[in-house]
Amino acid sequence: MIDMQQTKIKVNFSRVLGTPLVPLCARAKISKEYSSLFNDAKAIELIEQIDYDFLTLEKSSGDYLLFATAARAMQFDNKVKAYIKEHPHASVVNLGAGFDTGFYRVDNGAIHWYDLDLPEIIEVRKHLLPEMNRTACIANSFLDPGWCQAIKNENGIFMIAGGLFRFFDEAQVRQFFSLIADRLPGSEIVFEAESKSSNDVDGRCGAYGAGWSDEEPEKRDAMQEDCIRALKNGWTILPQSLKSQMIGALTTSTRPQSAEWDDFETWWDQLSAQEKGEAMSDFFFGFTCKCPLEDASEMVAWDDRITVVDQFPLFRDIPRDPSLSMSVRQFMDYTDEKGRIKIVHVRV
């Protein structure tokens, strides 16, 4: 799967979904362009070493989505640093780690760090980010209780889960929290949660906050233009089978006649504002969040061993830097104002 060619690492990602590459790309891009806000030197190092078309991936993701991914890392880093300040020898577990480089950003020289993900991801990760003295990779599903036995639990446990729970339904997420309460009681976990309104696709906003209200059409149209520009950039690197799958998943009353971009663009121009909102959800995010959470207090009903420590909007305390694009600043304001994405911190 890995082949060293001169100074570049050639990786065959055929067994790995593209999803783990997007956060890596996002952290590197934001670190390069806005280092005063966020700096992930290891992410920059990785994308410069890997033989992959990150530029096209970057263009196909949209600036606001890349910035949101980096913002999540910023908030998680702050939470980890606060915890290990009180528990300097703690164990930190990165659930659904992908190619995350959090350890390199927060290491205090004493923590133990575990990166947990599926075997096909871990296989690649071990080549890109080899295990060290205080880091270990665990190839397992986060729902399998077996991995809990590998975690040192005498000095506190802090877990992070970035972009993970939205792929699983509420019953599975509940199962995970009960598992942790049973096997690793006292653990603290931070993750991002999307509100139920993020799943509403009614022409006013679209999923994941990728739009704006009809009362502010200029902002709405600007966000949709940013989305469609990113989608056009990414269309060239998508396999034909995935293009056909995405078109087949559309919930709008009409669909493009083929997977050719010209057909898509002709179809898009004929859609109403409401239909464009629906298409943004179907195309850009592929699916709605399977486990939306309006308020973290709802989790107490899942298991009375869950205690909410904190929750706050995704972009809290992150400056609306004038150097950021208009679409990024709009997305930050819109997301926080509507409470669409939150950082949630609980103890079990």
mmCIF file with all atom_site columns, all heavy atoms in Angstrom, residues 196-215:
data_model
loop_
_atom_site.group_PDB
_atom_site.id
_atom_site.type_symbol
_atom_site.label_atom_id
_atom_site.label_alt_id
_atom_site.label_comp_id
_atom_site.label_asym_id
_atom_site.label_entity_id
_atom_site.label_seq_id
_atom_site.pdbx_PDB_ins_code
_atom_site.Cartn_x
_atom_site.Cartn_y
_atom_site.Cartn_z
_atom_site.occupancy
_atom_site.B_iso_or_equiv
_atom_site.pdbx_formal_charge
_atom_site.auth_seq_id
_atom_site.auth_comp_id
_atom_site.auth_asym_id
_atom_site.auth_atom_id
_atom_site.pdbx_PDB_model_num
ATOM 1   N N   . LYS A 1 196 ? -30.557 19.370 15.368 1.00 0.00 ? 196 LYS A N   1
ATOM 2   C CA  . LYS A 1 196 ? -31.591 18.748 14.521 1.00 0.00 ? 196 LYS A CA  1
ATOM 3   C C   . LYS A 1 196 ? -31.921 19.649 13.342 1.00 0.00 ? 196 LYS A C   1
ATOM 4   O O   . LYS A 1 196 ? -32.232 19.163 12.257 1.00 0.00 ? 196 LYS A O   1
ATOM 5   C CB  . LYS A 1 196 ? -32.842 18.462 15.354 1.00 0.00 ? 196 LYS A CB  1
ATOM 6   C CG  . LYS A 1 196 ? -32.653 17.400 16.422 1.00 0.00 ? 196 LYS A CG  1
ATOM 7   C CD  . LYS A 1 196 ? -33.937 17.165 17.203 1.00 0.00 ? 196 LYS A CD  1
ATOM 8   C CE  . LYS A 1 196 ? -33.778 16.014 18.206 1.00 0.00 ? 196 LYS A CE  1
ATOM 9   N NZ  . LYS A 1 196 ? -32.799 16.327 19.262 1.00 0.00 ? 196 LYS A NZ  1
ATOM 10  N N   . SER A 1 197 ? -31.822 20.961 13.526 1.00 0.00 ? 197 SER A N   1
ATOM 11  C CA  . SER A 1 197 ? -32.143 21.886 12.442 1.00 0.00 ? 197 SER A CA  1
ATOM 12  C C   . SER A 1 197 ? -31.136 21.789 11.306 1.00 0.00 ? 197 SER A C   1
ATOM 13  O O   . SER A 1 197 ? -31.416 22.216 10.188 1.00 0.00 ? 197 SER A O   1
ATOM 14  C CB  . SER A 1 197 ? -32.197 23.326 12.964 1.00 0.00 ? 197 SER A CB  1
ATOM 15  O OG  . SER A 1 197 ? -30.955 23.697 13.522 1.00 0.00 ? 197 SER A OG  1
ATOM 16  N N   . SER A 1 198 ? -29.958 21.216 11.563 1.00 0.00 ? 198 SER A N   1
ATOM 17  C CA  . SER A 1 198 ? -28.986 21.046 10.490 1.00 0.00 ? 198 SER A CA  1
ATOM 18  C C   . SER A 1 198 ? -29.459 20.034 9.462  1.00 0.00 ? 198 SER A C   1
ATOM 19  O O   . SER A 1 198 ? -28.938 19.972 8.355  1.00 0.00 ? 198 SER A O   1
ATOM 20  C CB  . SER A 1 198 ? -27.636 20.573 11.063 1.00 0.00 ? 198 SER A CB  1
ATOM 21  O OG  . SER A 1 198 ? -27.043 21.593 11.810 1.00 0.00 ? 198 SER A OG  1
ATOM 22  N N   . ASN A 1 199 ? -30.444 19.222 9.838  1.00 0.00 ? 199 ASN A N   1
ATOM 23  C CA  . ASN A 1 199 ? -30.987 18.237 8.919  1.00 0.00 ? 199 ASN A CA  1
ATOM 24  C C   . ASN A 1 199 ? -32.163 18.780 8.116  1.00 0.00 ? 199 ASN A C   1
ATOM 25  O O   . ASN A 1 199 ? -32.689 18.113 7.240  1.00 0.00 ? 199 ASN A O   1
ATOM 26  C CB  . ASN A 1 199 ? -31.449 16.989 9.679  1.00 0.00 ? 199 ASN A CB  1
ATOM 27  C CG  . ASN A 1 199 ? -30.281 16.183 10.207 1.00 0.00 ? 199 ASN A CG  1
ATOM 28  O OD1 . ASN A 1 199 ? -29.145 16.414 9.832  1.00 0.00 ? 199 ASN A OD1 1
ATOM 29  N ND2 . ASN A 1 199 ? -30.558 15.245 11.074 1.00 0.00 ? 199 ASN A ND2 1
ATOM 30  N N   . ASP A 1 200 ? -32.607 20.001 8.437  1.00 0.00 ? 200 ASP A N   1
ATOM 31  C CA  . ASP A 1 200 ? -33.731 20.586 7.728  1.00 0.00 ? 200 ASP A CA  1
ATOM 32  C C   . ASP A 1 200 ? -33.279 21.076 6.362  1.00 0.00 ? 200 ASP A C   1
ATOM 33  O O   . ASP A 1 200 ? -32.344 21.869 6.264  1.00 0.00 ? 200 ASP A O   1
ATOM 34  C CB  . ASP A 1 200 ? -34.314 21.776 8.507  1.00 0.00 ? 200 ASP A CB  1
ATOM 35  C CG  . ASP A 1 200 ? -34.895 21.342 9.840  1.00 0.00 ? 200 ASP A CG  1
ATOM 36  O OD1 . ASP A 1 200 ? -35.186 20.149 9.976  1.00 0.00 ? 200 ASP A OD1 1
ATOM 37  O OD2 . ASP A 1 200 ? -35.035 22.200 10.728 1.00 0.00 ? 200 ASP A OD2 1
ATOM 38  N N   . VAL A 1 201 ? -33.906 20.608 5.336  1.00 0.00 ? 201 VAL A N   1
ATOM 39  C CA  . VAL A 1 201 ? -33.596 21.072 3.987  1.00 0.00 ? 201 VAL A CA  1
ATOM 40  C C   . VAL A 1 201 ? -34.893 21.623 3.407  1.00 0.00 ? 201 VAL A C   1
ATOM 41  O O   . VAL A 1 201 ? -35.701 20.902 2.859  1.00 0.00 ? 201 VAL A O   1
ATOM 42  C CB  . VAL A 1 201 ? -33.058 19.921 3.113  1.00 0.00 ? 201 VAL A CB  1
ATOM 43  C CG1 . VAL A 1 201 ? -32.680 20.458 1.742  1.00 0.00 ? 201 VAL A CG1 1
ATOM 44  C CG2 . VAL A 1 201 ? -31.843 19.290 3.771  1.00 0.00 ? 201 VAL A CG2 1
ATOM 45  N N   . ASP A 1 202 ? -35.079 22.925 3.598  1.00 0.00 ? 202 ASP A N   1
ATOM 46  C CA  . ASP A 1 202 ? -36.356 23.519 3.223  1.00 0.00 ? 202 ASP A CA  1
ATOM 47  C C   . ASP A 1 202 ? -36.184 24.696 2.276  1.00 0.00 ? 202 ASP A C   1
ATOM 48  O O   . ASP A 1 202 ? -37.091 25.487 2.085  1.00 0.00 ? 202 ASP A O   1
ATOM 49  C CB  . ASP A 1 202 ? -37.107 23.977 4.475  1.00 0.00 ? 202 ASP A CB  1
ATOM 50  C CG  . ASP A 1 202 ? -36.252 24.880 5.355  1.00 0.00 ? 202 ASP A CG  1
ATOM 51  O OD1 . ASP A 1 202 ? -35.186 25.312 4.878  1.00 0.00 ? 202 ASP A OD1 1
ATOM 52  O OD2 . ASP A 1 202 ? -36.664 25.165 6.490  1.00 0.00 ? 202 ASP A OD2 1
ATOM 53  N N   . GLY A 1 203 ? -34.982 24.810 1.699  1.00 0.00 ? 203 GLY A N   1
ATOM 54  C CA  . GLY A 1 203 ? -34.750 25.907 0.775  1.00 0.00 ? 203 GLY A CA  1
ATOM 55  C C   . GLY A 1 203 ? -34.252 27.165 1.444  1.00 0.00 ? 203 GLY A C   1
ATOM 56  O O   . GLY A 1 203 ? -33.820 28.084 0.792  1.00 0.00 ? 203 GLY A O   1
ATOM 57  N N   . ARG A 1 204 ? -34.318 27.226 2.787  1.00 0.00 ? 204 ARG A N   1
ATOM 58  C CA  . ARG A 1 204 ? -33.864 28.425 3.478  1.00 0.00 ? 204 ARG A CA  1
ATOM 59  C C   . ARG A 1 204 ? -32.400 28.328 3.866  1.00 0.00 ? 204 ARG A C   1
ATOM 60  O O   . ARG A 1 204 ? -31.702 29.314 3.935  1.00 0.00 ? 204 ARG A O   1
ATOM 61  C CB  . ARG A 1 204 ? -34.715 28.673 4.722  1.00 0.00 ? 204 ARG A CB  1
ATOM 62  C CG  . ARG A 1 204 ? -36.146 29.047 4.410  1.00 0.00 ? 204 ARG A CG  1
ATOM 63  C CD  . ARG A 1 204 ? -36.825 29.641 5.618  1.00 0.00 ? 204 ARG A CD  1
ATOM 64  N NE  . ARG A 1 204 ? -36.852 28.718 6.747  1.00 0.00 ? 204 ARG A NE  1
ATOM 65  C CZ  . ARG A 1 204 ? -37.826 27.835 6.958  1.00 0.00 ? 204 ARG A CZ  1
ATOM 66  N NH1 . ARG A 1 204 ? -38.818 27.739 6.104  1.00 0.00 ? 204 ARG A NH1 1
ATOM 67  N NH2 . ARG A 1 204 ? -37.811 27.039 8.012  1.00 0.00 ? 204 ARG A NH2 1
ATOM 68  N N   . CYS A 1 205 ? -31.950 27.103 4.155  1.00 0.00 ? 205 CYS A N   1
ATOM 69  C CA  . CYS A 1 205 ? -30.570 27.030 4.633  1.00 0.00 ? 205 CYS A CA  1
ATOM 70  C C   . CYS A 1 205 ? -29.830 25.817 4.119  1.00 0.00 ? 205 CYS A C   1
ATOM 71  O O   . CYS A 1 205 ? -28.678 25.908 3.754  1.00 0.00 ? 205 CYS A O   1
ATOM 72  C CB  . CYS A 1 205 ? -30.544 27.044 6.162  1.00 0.00 ? 205 CYS A CB  1
ATOM 73  S SG  . CYS A 1 205 ? -31.656 25.855 6.930  1.00 0.00 ? 205 CYS A SG  1
ATOM 74  N N   . GLY A 1 206 ? -30.424 24.670 4.077  1.00 0.00 ? 206 GLY A N   1
ATOM 75  C CA  . GLY A 1 206 ? -29.707 23.472 3.665  1.00 0.00 ? 206 GLY A CA  1
ATOM 76  C C   . GLY A 1 206 ? -28.948 22.865 4.818  1.00 0.00 ? 206 GLY A C   1
ATOM 77  O O   . GLY A 1 206 ? -28.761 23.459 5.858  1.00 0.00 ? 206 GLY A O   1
ATOM 78  N N   . ALA A 1 207 ? -28.493 21.648 4.659  1.00 0.00 ? 207 ALA A N   1
ATOM 79  C CA  . ALA A 1 207 ? -27.839 20.937 5.748  1.00 0.00 ? 207 ALA A CA  1
ATOM 80  C C   . ALA A 1 207 ? -26.494 21.542 6.095  1.00 0.00 ? 207 ALA A C   1
ATOM 81  O O   . ALA A 1 207 ? -25.831 22.155 5.270  1.00 0.00 ? 207 ALA A O   1
ATOM 82  C CB  . ALA A 1 207 ? -27.653 19.465 5.365  1.00 0.00 ? 207 ALA A CB  1
ATOM 83  N N   . TYR A 1 208 ? -26.096 21.367 7.353  1.00 0.00 ? 208 TYR A N   1
ATOM 84  C CA  . TYR A 1 208 ? -24.777 21.751 7.855  1.00 0.00 ? 208 TYR A CA  1
ATOM 85  C C   . TYR A 1 208 ? -24.540 23.243 7.749  1.00 0.00 ? 208 TYR A C   1
ATOM 86  O O   . TYR A 1 208 ? -23.411 23.725 7.735  1.00 0.00 ? 208 TYR A O   1
ATOM 87  C CB  . TYR A 1 208 ? -23.689 20.992 7.090  1.00 0.00 ? 208 TYR A CB  1
ATOM 88  C CG  . TYR A 1 208 ? -22.462 20.662 7.903  1.00 0.00 ? 208 TYR A CG  1
ATOM 89  C CD1 . TYR A 1 208 ? -22.482 19.662 8.848  1.00 0.00 ? 208 TYR A CD1 1
ATOM 90  C CD2 . TYR A 1 208 ? -21.274 21.355 7.684  1.00 0.00 ? 208 TYR A CD2 1
ATOM 91  C CE1 . TYR A 1 208 ? -21.344 19.353 9.572  1.00 0.00 ? 208 TYR A CE1 1
ATOM 92  C CE2 . TYR A 1 208 ? -20.133 21.053 8.400  1.00 0.00 ? 208 TYR A CE2 1
ATOM 93  C CZ  . TYR A 1 208 ? -20.170 20.049 9.343  1.00 0.00 ? 208 TYR A CZ  1
ATOM 94  O OH  . TYR A 1 208 ? -19.047 19.745 10.060 1.00 0.00 ? 208 TYR A OH  1
ATOM 95  N N   . GLY A 1 209 ? -25.617 24.027 7.643  1.00 0.00 ? 209 GLY A N   1
ATOM 96  C CA  . GLY A 1 209 ? -25.447 25.469 7.587  1.00 0.00 ? 209 GLY A CA  1
ATOM 97  C C   . GLY A 1 209 ? -24.889 25.981 6.285  1.00 0.00 ? 209 GLY A C   1
ATOM 98  O O   . GLY A 1 209 ? -24.316 27.065 6.234  1.00 0.00 ? 209 GLY A O   1
ATOM 99  N N   . ALA A 1 210 ? -25.033 25.214 5.207  1.00 0.00 ? 210 ALA A N   1
ATOM 100 C CA  . ALA A 1 210 ? -24.398 25.601 3.946  1.00 0.00 ? 210 ALA A CA  1
ATOM 101 C C   . ALA A 1 210 ? -25.238 26.582 3.147  1.00 0.00 ? 210 ALA A C   1
ATOM 102 O O   . ALA A 1 210 ? -25.312 26.510 1.946  1.00 0.00 ? 210 ALA A O   1
ATOM 103 C CB  . ALA A 1 210 ? -24.131 24.360 3.104  1.00 0.00 ? 210 ALA A CB  1
ATOM 104 N N   . GLY A 1 211 ? -25.894 27.489 3.807  1.00 0.00 ? 211 GLY A N   1
ATOM 105 C CA  . GLY A 1 211 ? -26.697 28.467 3.098  1.00 0.00 ? 211 GLY A CA  1
ATOM 106 C C   . GLY A 1 211 ? -27.121 29.589 4.016  1.00 0.00 ? 211 GLY A C   1
ATOM 107 O O   . GLY A 1 211 ? -26.530 29.822 5.047  1.00 0.00 ? 211 GLY A O   1
ATOM 108 N N   . TRP A 1 212 ? -28.181 30.264 3.673  1.00 0.00 ? 212 TRP A N   1
ATOM 109 C CA  . TRP A 1 212 ? -28.662 31.376 4.475  1.00 0.00 ? 212 TRP A CA  1
ATOM 110 C C   . TRP A 1 212 ? -30.158 31.499 4.243  1.00 0.00 ? 212 TRP A C   1
ATOM 111 O O   . TRP A 1 212 ? -30.723 30.815 3.404  1.00 0.00 ? 212 TRP A O   1
ATOM 112 C CB  . TRP A 1 212 ? -27.930 32.657 4.068  1.00 0.00 ? 212 TRP A CB  1
ATOM 113 C CG  . TRP A 1 212 ? -27.745 33.605 5.208  1.00 0.00 ? 212 TRP A CG  1
ATOM 114 C CD1 . TRP A 1 212 ? -28.611 34.566 5.622  1.00 0.00 ? 212 TRP A CD1 1
ATOM 115 C CD2 . TRP A 1 212 ? -26.626 33.672 6.090  1.00 0.00 ? 212 TRP A CD2 1
ATOM 116 N NE1 . TRP A 1 212 ? -28.102 35.235 6.699  1.00 0.00 ? 212 TRP A NE1 1
ATOM 117 C CE2 . TRP A 1 212 ? -26.889 34.718 7.009  1.00 0.00 ? 212 TRP A CE2 1
ATOM 118 C CE3 . TRP A 1 212 ? -25.436 32.965 6.198  1.00 0.00 ? 212 TRP A CE3 1
ATOM 119 C CZ2 . TRP A 1 212 ? -26.004 35.068 8.022  1.00 0.00 ? 212 TRP A CZ2 1
ATOM 120 C CZ3 . TRP A 1 212 ? -24.550 33.317 7.194  1.00 0.00 ? 212 TRP A CZ3 1
ATOM 121 C CH2 . TRP A 1 212 ? -24.834 34.354 8.095  1.00 0.00 ? 212 TRP A CH2 1
ATOM 122 N N   . SER A 1 213 ? -30.804 32.372 4.957  1.00 0.00 ? 213 SER A N   1
ATOM 123 C CA  . SER A 1 213 ? -32.255 32.455 4.858  1.00 0.00 ? 213 SER A CA  1
ATOM 124 C C   . SER A 1 213 ? -32.698 33.216 3.614  1.00 0.00 ? 213 SER A C   1
ATOM 125 O O   . SER A 1 213 ? -31.944 33.983 3.029  1.00 0.00 ? 213 SER A O   1
ATOM 126 C CB  . SER A 1 213 ? -32.825 33.144 6.096  1.00 0.00 ? 213 SER A CB  1
ATOM 127 O OG  . SER A 1 213 ? -32.491 34.509 6.077  1.00 0.00 ? 213 SER A OG  1
ATOM 128 N N   . ASP A 1 214 ? -33.961 33.012 3.239  1.00 0.00 ? 214 ASP A N   1
ATOM 129 C CA  . ASP A 1 214 ? -34.515 33.719 2.087  1.00 0.00 ? 214 ASP A CA  1
ATOM 130 C C   . ASP A 1 214 ? -34.569 35.224 2.336  1.00 0.00 ? 214 ASP A C   1
ATOM 131 O O   . ASP A 1 214 ? -34.626 36.012 1.390  1.00 0.00 ? 214 ASP A O   1
ATOM 132 C CB  . ASP A 1 214 ? -35.924 33.201 1.779  1.00 0.00 ? 214 ASP A CB  1
ATOM 133 C CG  . ASP A 1 214 ? -35.888 31.871 1.047  1.00 0.00 ? 214 ASP A CG  1
ATOM 134 O OD1 . ASP A 1 214 ? -34.827 31.565 0.461  1.00 0.00 ? 214 ASP A OD1 1
ATOM 135 O OD2 . ASP A 1 214 ? -36.883 31.138 1.084  1.00 0.00 ? 214 ASP A OD2 1
ATOM 136 N N   . GLU A 1 215 ? -34.575 35.624 3.615  1.00 0.00 ? 215 GLU A N   1
ATOM 137 C CA  . GLU A 1 215 ? -34.599 37.047 3.941  1.00 0.00 ? 215 GLU A CA  1
ATOM 138 C C   . GLU A 1 215 ? -33.244 37.703 3.659  1.00 0.00 ? 215 GLU A C   1
ATOM 139 O O   . GLU A 1 215 ? -33.135 38.925 3.645  1.00 0.00 ? 215 GLU A O   1
ATOM 140 C CB  . GLU A 1 215 ? -34.977 37.251 5.415  1.00 0.00 ? 215 GLU A CB  1
ATOM 141 C CG  . GLU A 1 215 ? -36.449 36.984 5.730  1.00 0.00 ? 215 GLU A CG  1
ATOM 142 C CD  . GLU A 1 215 ? -36.776 35.501 5.657  1.00 0.00 ? 215 GLU A CD  1
ATOM 143 O OE1 . GLU A 1 215 ? -35.927 34.681 6.047  1.00 0.00 ? 215 GLU A OE1 1
ATOM 144 O OE2 . GLU A 1 215 ? -37.881 35.170 5.185  1.00 0.00 ? 215 GLU A OE2 1
#
